[in-house]
Amino acid sequence: MSDQEVGKGSPKSSSLSPYEEAMEALSSLITRRTRADASNVGDQFDLLFDYLKMLDLEDPIANMKVIHVAGTKGKGSTCTFTESILRNCGFRTGLFTSPHLIDIRERFRLDGKEICEEKFLAYFWWCYDRLKEKTDENIPMPTYFRFLALLGFKIFAAEQVDVAILEVGLGGKYDATNVVRAPVVCGITSLGYDHMEILGNTLGEIAGEKAGIFKNGIPAFTVPQPDEAMHVLEEKASQLNVSLQVVTPLDAQLLNGLRLGLEGEHQYVNAALAISLCFTWLKRTGHVGDIYLEQTDKLPEQFIKGLTSASLQGRAQIVPDQHLKGERSNRLVFFLDGAHSPESMEVCARWFSLAIKEYNPDQTLFHQQLDNSKFSHEVVKTHNGERVSQGKSTPILLFNCLTVRDPQLLLPHLMKTCADNGVYFKKALFVPSLSVFNKVGPQAFTLSDPKVDLSWQFNLQRVWENLMQSSKGKNTDIVSEELKDDMETSASNCEHSAVFPSLPLAIKWLRDRVQQNQSLRLQVLVTGSLHLVGDVLNLVKK
């Protein structure tokens, strides 16, 4: 990008760093409005095409070789597998996903890595300044997510990626990514009940919104769906002359003894969808001769490498607390998964139940696992192939969810599935979110805010305590004495749970427990919200 093209940024002088200044500008675009309709001029979908003209992005998008993916569950995983496969096939990839966990730049990946700060700032101000100059009362500045999507298009066009993989933010029909008129191929991942306040109250209505990414004559793939959803997808596909194919889960034997880079049985469905998207993209872009595709009984080497090396933060990820020294970090381990729907809660609970039984880190091996979303069977091997007990492990739940979610649906699924697998939480910790809706960028990690409203967390605690009361007698284990003591930092301590006024206080309490008791090993499941997962990662990773 030339000097003339680079945006100047905000003219005001301040003590903020250039990156913080960009985050301030980005935060100014956040509104509480979430539905794209005609009720507010700034939310009209057609405005997106005005923004594309202002940014000279019409032709670049028309020439972009796009893979477009919508769905309720598995969008991020499918896009991650897809990007990893095509990158290992030798293509320059651009990946646009949401949300981010720690840094906004996670949403824009070039060749598998988040965009560097220097490039991000250059493209950010180029887009922001131009839109500020050209928008007015009739065409106001785009809202937060729309701006990010436009920025993604600018980055991928300027960086001349071979393929742009776009994850829909919300729904499909009115999503900002849906300005792409002619993607190469589309995918719909598993559908379920989520964002019902926006997308509709039935699976059919939700499927109709997702199918809004179908384009006339463009092939599409989906996974097995409930009948109500599948009927709507097939009907929409038929209306648009779309060849819609349903993929079956990947046969694990095709991986030649290796494991998928993303953990969980459900990932075999997402992997199969990614394979179909990649095969079709290669064929339709004229690259079919580059990769040997025709053998159905085996996968190309590049596909296997892409599937087994893919990684995604916050989904089935295991991170020992890196702020505890030496062996203590092995005694406080966080199992992170951003599940936030009833179905994904069950998947998360099954993964956690298996993971805590397999995860027994050998000091010489665990460092290899820190940033990998998968845990290896190698980790459980110790001297002479025998397991070595390092003290009894204690499962802890660290939970928060958005107020639009129903904890009466989420928490019972989580508790029952864990119990069915012989896992019982000794304590559940409920905390408010550190991330705030109207600000992007690093939050101030204060231990406690006296003004914080904990009414939602108390509600979550009541649901949990009632569930524990109704399941009494099924779990013979009693709450550890070590977890009953020293709860003065909590806002509310019950027999099976506690509410903390901040996440840092809850983390401090966990750290204090393992530092004061050498035999205690805490395995903490962090779930219910990707925002919570991101905040925890920020606090426990160096």
Side-chain angles (χ1 to χ4, degrees):
M1 185 177 274
S2 68
D3 290 340
Q4 288 78 18
E5 285 184 287
V6 175
K8 299 181 180 68
S10 173
K12 67 179 187 336
S13 61
S14 73
S15 59
L16 298 176
S17 71
Y19 194 71
E20 288 170 335
E21 207 167 289
M23 294 305 99
E24 287 282 314
L26 183 56
S27 297
S28 72
L29 303 178
I30 296 175
T31 72
R32 278 198 180 273
R33 296 193 307 273
T34 53
R35 187 169 197 140
D37 57 28
S39 63
N40 184 290
V41 66
D43 286 338
Q44 290 175 12
F45 181 74
D46 287 346
L47 283 182
L48 283 160
F49 298 99
D50 292 307
Y51 300 138
L52 294 183
K53 284 179 187 171
M54 293 175 186
L55 298 173
D56 297 325
L57 285 173
E58 292 171 299
D59 287 343
I61 289 178
N63 294 323
M64 217 172 267
K65 304 292 190 291
V66 169
I67 296 174
H68 202 188
V69 180
T72 307
K73 298 165 292 180
K75 295 192 301 278
S77 299
T78 299
C79 288
T80 298
F81 280 134
T82 301
E83 186 280 329
S84 187
I85 290 170
L86 292 176
R87 173 163 39 88
N88 278 282
C89 287
F91 296 100
R92 179 154 172 73
T93 60
L95 174 61
F96 177 73
T97 60
S98 61
H100 63 278
L101 296 184
I102 298 174
D103 192 303
I104 197 83
R105 293 179 294 119
E106 295 165 30
R107 295 173 183 247
F108 314 95
R109 293 188 176 268
L110 297 168
D111 293 327
K113 296 176 181 171
E114 63 186 53
I115 187 170
C116 69
E117 190 173 307
E118 185 182 8
K119 281 185 176 180
F120 173 83
L121 288 175
Y123 293 127
F124 176 90
W125 287 118
W126 187 90
C127 291
Y128 188 86
D129 289 345
R130 184 168 285 210
L131 288 168
K132 267 290 186 189
E133 181 188 329
K134 298 193 174 191
T135 51
D136 55 31
E137 286 184 8
N138 295 319
I139 304 177
M141 281 289 284
T143 50
Y144 172 71
F145 183 80
R146 290 182 168 192
F147 178 84
L148 293 177
L150 294 164
L151 176 57
F153 287 125
K154 174 62 183 176
I155 290 169
F156 297 156
E159 293 291 321
Q160 298 181 312
V161 299
D162 298 315
V163 55
I165 299 122
L166 307 179
E167 177 191 350
V168 166
L170 179 62
K173 185 176 181 181
Y174 295 114
D175 189 73
T177 60
N178 206 31
V179 295
V180 177
R181 304 287 183 100
V184 176
V185 61
C186 295
I188 306 282
T189 64
S190 297
L191 298 179
Y193 293 101
D194 198 15
H195 297 293
M196 291 157 65
E197 75 283 4
I198 298 166
L199 302 179
N201 292 312
T202 69
L203 277 180
E205 289 175 322
I206 290 168
E209 288 290 325
K210 310 291 185 184
I213 69 167
F214 288 166
K215 302 295 185 298
N216 192 44
I218 303 296
F221 293 87
T222 191
V223 301
Q225 305 282 8
D227 289 344
E228 183 186 355
M230 188 62 79
H231 175 72
V232 172
L233 293 181
E234 288 171 344
E235 188 179 6
K236 297 279 186 184
S238 176
Q239 291 168 3
L240 289 169
N241 192 31
V242 167
S243 164
L244 178 64
Q245 296 181 51
V246 181
V247 303
T248 54
L250 173 67
D251 182 350
Q253 292 183 332
L254 292 174
L255 297 175
N256 296 343
L258 299 173
R259 294 163 69 117
L260 287 176
L262 306 181
E263 277 296 330
E265 282 301 307
H266 61 295
Q267 295 296 1
Y268 287 91
V269 176
N270 297 327
L273 181 56
I275 289 168
S276 294
L277 293 173
C278 291
F279 275 156
T280 304
W281 186 88
L282 287 165
K283 288 176 181 176
R284 297 198 75 223
T285 54
H287 293 289
V288 70
D290 299 347
I291 312 290
Y292 189 56
L293 303 175
E294 299 311 315
Q295 279 185 283
T296 54
D297 60 336
K298 63 184 297 186
L299 284 173
E301 246 178 72
Q302 300 95 322
F303 277 54
I304 294 174
K305 188 174 180 187
L307 291 168
T308 56
S309 64
S311 65
L312 184 59
Q313 279 206 121
R315 276 80 162 185
Q317 183 180 10
I318 302 174
V319 181
D321 188 350
Q322 294 171 31
H323 289 264
L324 292 177
K325 292 179 181 173
E327 290 183 9
R328 283 179 183 162
S329 63
N330 285 347
R331 294 196 288 110
L332 177 56
V333 181
F334 293 88
F335 295 73
L336 304 118
D337 192 89
H340 52 264
S341 70
E343 300 91 345
S344 58
M345 274 290 148
E346 286 187 26
V347 171
C348 169
R350 285 197 297 272
W351 163 72
F352 177 67
S353 301
L354 174 66
I356 62 172
K357 291 167 187 171
E358 289 199 353
Y359 188 83
N360 190 357
D362 185 303
Q363 189 64 24
T364 60
L365 291 171
F366 97 96
H367 289 291
Q368 299 167 14
Q369 308 301 319
L370 293 182
D371 289 307
N372 203 325
S373 63
K374 60 180 179 291
F375 58 93
S376 164
H377 282 297
E378 291 295 313
V379 168
V380 302
K381 294 178 184 174
T382 54
H383 297 296
N384 302 319
E386 298 294 322
R387 284 178 183 266
V388 175
S389 175
Q390 300 176 347
K392 189 173 181 183
S393 295
T394 302
I396 303 285
L397 175 65
L398 181 56
F399 189 91
N400 190 37
C401 64
L402 296 176
T403 53
V404 293
R405 315 273 182 222
D406 184 353
Q408 301 277 8
L409 291 176
L410 300 183
L411 290 173
H413 280 276
L414 177 67
M415 181 186 284
K416 182 181 184 305
T417 306
C418 282
D420 289 346
N421 287 277
V423 173
Y424 302 91
F425 294 102
K426 299 301 182 291
K427 200 84 174 178
L429 312 181
F430 299 101
V431 294
S433 179
L434 277 175
S435 307
V436 291
F437 88 94
N438 61 347
K439 183 162 172 55
V440 188
Q443 305 300 319
F445 288 151
T446 54
L447 280 180
S448 186
D449 177 359
K451 300 189 296 293
V452 68
D453 179 6
L454 296 173
S455 55
W456 177 246
Q457 283 66 42
F458 292 140
N459 182 38
L460 296 175
Q461 183 182 41
R462 279 192 296 273
V463 173
W464 185 261
E465 289 291 330
N466 288 338
L467 286 170
M468 291 298 291
Q469 290 299 323
S470 64
S471 65
K472 266 198 168 175
K474 298 177 187 174
N475 176 14
T476 55
D477 291 340
I478 59 170
V479 178
S480 309
E481 286 300 317
E482 297 89 344
L483 301 180
K484 289 181 178 177
D485 299 335
D486 187 27
M487 269 289 187
E488 73 273 6
T489 54
S490 67
S492 169
N493 181 32
C494 297
E495 184 181 359
H496 305 284
S497 62
V499 171
F500 281 88
S502 74
L503 175 60
L505 269 179
I507 300 287
K508 181 181 184 302
W509 182 81
L510 291 167
R511 285 172 176 159
D512 288 346
R513 300 285 71 71
V514 297
Q515 287 175 326
Q516 291 165 16
N517 188 324
Q518 295 299 315
S519 65
L520 192 64
R521 282 165 48 85
L522 300 181
Q523 295 179 312
V524 184
L525 174 61
V526 182
T527 191
S529 160
L530 274 168
H531 297 293
L532 175 64
V533 167
D535 291 339
V536 170
L537 280 171
N538 222 349
L539 286 168
V540 304
K541 290 181 82 171
K542 283 186 176 175

